Amino acid sequence: QFQSLQLEREMCLASNCTLARVNLSLRPRLEDGKASLAIKYQELREIREACWDKQQRLEAYLENWSPQSALGQLQAKLDASEAESEAQIEQFLAQDLPLGSFLESFCQSRTRSHICRTQLEKLQELLQKDEVGRDPAGPAGDPGALASPARSRLAP
């Protein structure tokens, strides 16, 4: 019995020695895999940072160029144009501006105001249609409801 245990022990040692040699032969492959994995993690970090930067730029871009931002810019432009028209009228009435130059500048100013007002109303209309289209309680199947003039126009 002692000899069989001794023989079993020697077989286990030989098996362990063989397994150790196989494991040691696989070590270069393991080291290469670790190095490759480290490179992949570094690439992943760089890609993640690039994506984060792009996402930040996209959010800033969307914030600057959102429909609401355009609406605000158009409203400011319209207000400035209206104020310019009023100032021209006051100058003309105070006789500080000759008729020829008043007519020319006033016509240009009113044209700008009209264009801004039209663009503003169209954008408001589009935004309303977009909101109604996303609103689950809105009239989904009634196309005539979207074209109603009372709904599509907001007071400037």
Side-chain angles (χ1 to χ4, degrees):
Q1 220 179 17
F2 179 74
Q3 285 181 345
S4 70
L5 284 175
Q6 185 71 24
L7 184 61
E8 189 177 324
R9 179 178 172 257
E10 287 177 9
M11 287 176 51
C12 281
L13 284 175
S15 173
N16 282 348
C17 185
T18 304
L19 287 174
R21 283 191 184 113
V22 169
N23 285 343
L24 287 174
S25 72
L26 294 175
R27 187 172 213 149
R29 186 172 160 205
L30 174 67
E31 296 301 323
D32 289 344
K34 283 182 178 180
S36 174
L37 186 60
I39 290 169
K40 295 289 183 189
Y41 271 115
Q42 181 60 35
E43 290 173 0
L44 178 64
R45 268 189 235 97
E46 291 169 3
I47 290 171
R48 185 180 63 216
E49 288 174 10
C51 285
W52 188 82
D53 289 341
K54 287 180 181 180
Q55 185 177 6
Q56 296 301 316
R57 283 186 291 173
L58 177 63
E59 287 173 3
Y61 176 81
L62 289 175
E63 185 176 308
N64 289 336
W65 296 104
S66 70
Q68 287 73 21
S69 173
L71 200 62
Q73 291 172 4
L74 278 172
Q75 186 65 51
K77 193 174 175 183
L78 176 62
D79 293 343
S81 184
E82 293 286 339
E84 181 184 349
S85 295
E86 289 296 321
Q88 290 169 350
I89 290 172
E90 288 177 14
Q91 282 181 340
F92 177 70
L93 292 177
Q95 298 179 348
D96 293 339
L97 197 60
L99 178 62
S101 60
F102 167 73
L103 288 176
E104 183 180 331
S105 63
F106 186 75
C107 184
Q108 290 174 352
S109 178
R110 294 310 301 160
T111 301
R112 279 193 303 271
S113 291
H114 176 70
I115 290 170
C116 284
R117 184 177 311 281
T118 304
Q119 289 174 338
L120 185 69
E121 288 173 357
K122 287 294 182 181
L123 185 55
Q124 287 173 334
E125 200 173 298
L126 288 172
L127 289 175
Q128 279 184 335
K129 284 181 182 180
D130 190 38
E131 286 176 14
V132 169
R134 280 189 271 154
D135 185 16
D142 187 9
L146 294 177
S148 170
R151 281 191 180 185
S152 64
R153 225 170 249 221
L154 286 177

